[in-house]
Each structure stands twice: as C-alpha cells, then as structure tokens.
Amino acid sequence: MSSLLQDLRGKLDNCDGQLQKLFQERMEIIQKVAAYKKEQKLPIYDPRREAEILSRYTGSEQEFFRTLLRLSRYEQSLVLFPYNIILIGFMGVGKTSVGAKLAQHLGREFLDLDDLLEKRLEMTISQYFANQGEGAFRREEGALIQELRARQGVVIATGGGAILNSRNVETLKQQGRLVLLTATPQTITARLQGDRTRPVLGGEVTEEGIATILSQRKSAYAQAAQYTISTDQLTIEEVVDAVLTSLAQADN
Ligand code: S3P
C-alpha cells in the first residue's frame, strides 16, 4: 500500500473514532430524553422537531442525520417498550398499515408475516391456498413464527389466522406483547370491498361471511390479546397513537 493511502486511512480511522465517541455521547443523552418522555408520557416521534433538525442539512449530510434520528427513535423505543409489538386480529382491521406506521414511528424494523411468507413461497397466499391447501399454509406460518422467535425490538403484523394456534401465541408472547385490533363486520366489509386476496373468505366479501368467521374466532383473539384497540372510527395515525398510549399506560 502506498504511504499516501496509508496516511489517509489513518486520518479516516481517527475521524471514525471521534464520530463513534460523539455517537455514544448522543445516545447517552437520548437515553435521558427517553426516561423524561416516559415520565411525562410524551411521544417518541416528534415530526416537527425532526423536520427542524433535518432542515439544517442537505444532500448526503441530511441522509446521515435522517439515519441518526431513526436510530435515536429506536433507542428511545427500547427504553419505553422493551419488547416486540405484535399486531393481531381479523383481516381488514389494519394490521399491516398500522404496523408499518408504528415501526416507522419507533425507528423499528417492520415484519409483515404474510409478506415474508409470500416471498418465501414465491407466490401469493391465495395461490398457495389453491395449490397446497390451508393446512400447508398454517404449517409454513407456524414455522416462520418459530424462526422469528429470537427477534427483538421489532414490530410484527401477523396474518389474521396466526393466533388460532396456541403454540404461535406462546412463541410470540415470549418476546412481545400482543395488541388486538378490532373492527365490526360492517367496517371490515367496507374495507375489504373488491379485495380478492383473502382466500379464507372464498373470494367473496360479504358481511354475513365475515360475521360468521369473526364469531368463530372471537374468543381466540380475546384470549391471545394483551391489549385491544377498536379501530372503527380511527385513522391509521390514530390507531398508532392508541396502541402507544395503551402500551405506555400498562407500564405505569
Ligand atoms: C388469514 C388472513 C390473511 C392471511 C391468510 C389467512 C386468516 O392475513 O394470513 O389469507 O386466516 O384470517 P390478513 O389478516 O393480513 O389478511
């Protein structure tokens, strides 16, 4: 290696060492911010504050700070909610949309089980149901849940039938808290109108069909749930806030 390159690399290592020290210092302050927010019941994500910080920078510097802010939110989220947050409930209650927003809010990774299964199976869930049947799908779903057993600090959206298996519930509870999202058959019917991706409904979305399956599953959902949020009148953002409020209240 030329001595010039060696010299430049030495300088970079020095920069990185300083960055690391500053990063550690920042994260220590963030821990204190998290403790304060926990006590005062303030939200982790303050969009105005983040926009203000980001407006000081442009281009790749802005990118750098965007990442830093996400890591800071993640660090705070572990102080306030030191467990996985797992959304359960019937089709159409908003598990995927709420989960994605919630994860963004907390700087966490979002795992959508149906999405992961579709990638793994290399086909849509409807196609898999049609080719292999529901039993095979449930085995794949259960195997995936077992594989995710060790994951920590994530937000998970389950498929609507995942918690019908008590082993899945036990496994998910080991690292996480189960939050049930609910909606009336009427709301679910309206939300799923025109949706052909739910094989359990047999390709047809009717209020009677939904009410029947919902009543068969109601007690399983209620038994698995550690928190319940009724989503009928709420926007996605409002459900996210309601989830965070219930989790925060439970620890006080
Ligand atoms: C199912 C719900 C689906 C998917 C599969 C089976 C169910 O997930 O896992 O079609 O049994 O309720 P969503 O609840 O995300 O639609």
Side-chain angles (χ1 to χ4, degrees):
M1 207 195 311
S2 76
S3 65
L4 174 62
L5 184 57
Q6 216 163 8
D7 183 40
L8 291 174
R9 284 186 173 169
K11 285 182 175 155
L12 282 176
D13 289 345
N14 185 31
C15 272
D16 292 346
Q18 290 183 54
L19 280 172
Q20 185 195 21
K21 271 209 200 84
L22 283 172
F23 182 69
Q24 283 171 354
E25 197 179 314
R26 194 180 203 285
M27 285 308 180
E28 277 163 27
I29 300 171
I30 283 294
Q31 295 281 336
K32 291 183 188 152
V33 169
Y36 179 82
K37 285 184 175 175
K38 185 170 183 172
E39 202 186 284
Q40 302 290 321
K41 298 192 176 27
L42 293 171
I44 289 176
Y45 181 39
D46 182 341
R48 275 173 54 187
R49 165 82 180 143
E50 292 207 6
E52 184 211 320
I53 295 172
L54 292 175
S55 72
R56 297 178 201 148
Y57 310 98
T58 55
S60 45
E61 285 185 5
Q62 193 179 68
E63 267 321 293
F64 174 77
F65 280 97
R66 202 184 295 285
T67 302
L68 199 59
L69 291 177
R70 183 181 59 71
L71 293 172
S72 299
R73 261 184 270 141
Y74 176 67
E75 208 61 30
Q76 291 180 60
S77 100
L78 291 182
V79 174
L80 272 89
F81 313 112
Y83 42 76
N84 292 339
I85 301 172
I86 300 157
L87 302 178
I88 64 170
F90 201 75
M91 294 164 269
V93 295
K95 302 181 295 292
T96 297
S97 329
V98 170
K101 265 264 172 308
L102 187 61
Q104 184 199 14
H105 190 120
L106 300 177
R108 291 190 180 195
E109 188 180 349
F110 175 50
L111 303 175
D112 183 83
L113 295 190
D114 284 345
D115 237 37
L116 293 174
L117 282 167
E118 290 196 336
K119 288 196 181 94
R120 169 176 294 189
L121 302 170
E122 296 182 337
M123 63 180 91
T124 66
I125 290 173
S126 295
Q127 284 165 340
Y128 195 78
F129 262 65
N131 293 346
Q132 310 289 332
E134 180 168 354
F137 174 77
R138 298 298 174 200
R139 283 192 289 281
E140 291 290 344
E141 188 176 51
L144 177 62
I145 289 172
Q146 291 307 314
E147 282 169 41
L148 296 177
R149 209 170 27 197
R151 296 300 307 270
Q152 291 181 342
V154 295
V155 174
I156 299 177
T158 59
I163 59 79
L164 299 176
N165 177 330
S166 60
R167 181 156 186 249
N168 291 344
V169 175
E170 293 314 313
T171 306
L172 290 166
K173 275 189 180 165
Q174 280 168 21
Q175 306 285 352
R177 304 223 180 146
L178 269 53
V179 181
L180 173 65
L181 303 184
T182 66
T184 62
Q186 215 177 358
T187 304
I188 294 171
T189 312
R191 288 185 188 160
L192 294 184
Q193 250 348 290
D195 189 322
R196 307 224 156 271
T197 64
R198 325 277 170 155
V200 170
L201 299 178
E204 231 194 307
V205 178
T206 66
E207 198 173 318
E208 292 81 7
I210 286 168
T212 305
I213 308 174
L214 199 51
S215 70
Q216 290 161 356
R217 292 181 171 186
K218 216 174 179 137
S219 72
Y221 285 138
Q223 261 179 25
Q226 294 165 295
Y227 308 85
T228 302
I229 311 288
S230 154
T231 69
D232 289 283
Q233 310 297 331
L234 305 182
T235 63
I236 291 166
E237 276 295 348
E238 287 168 341
V239 180
V240 168
D241 286 347
V243 171
L244 292 170
T245 304
S246 329
L247 292 172
Q249 274 168 358
D251 290 327
N252 283 301

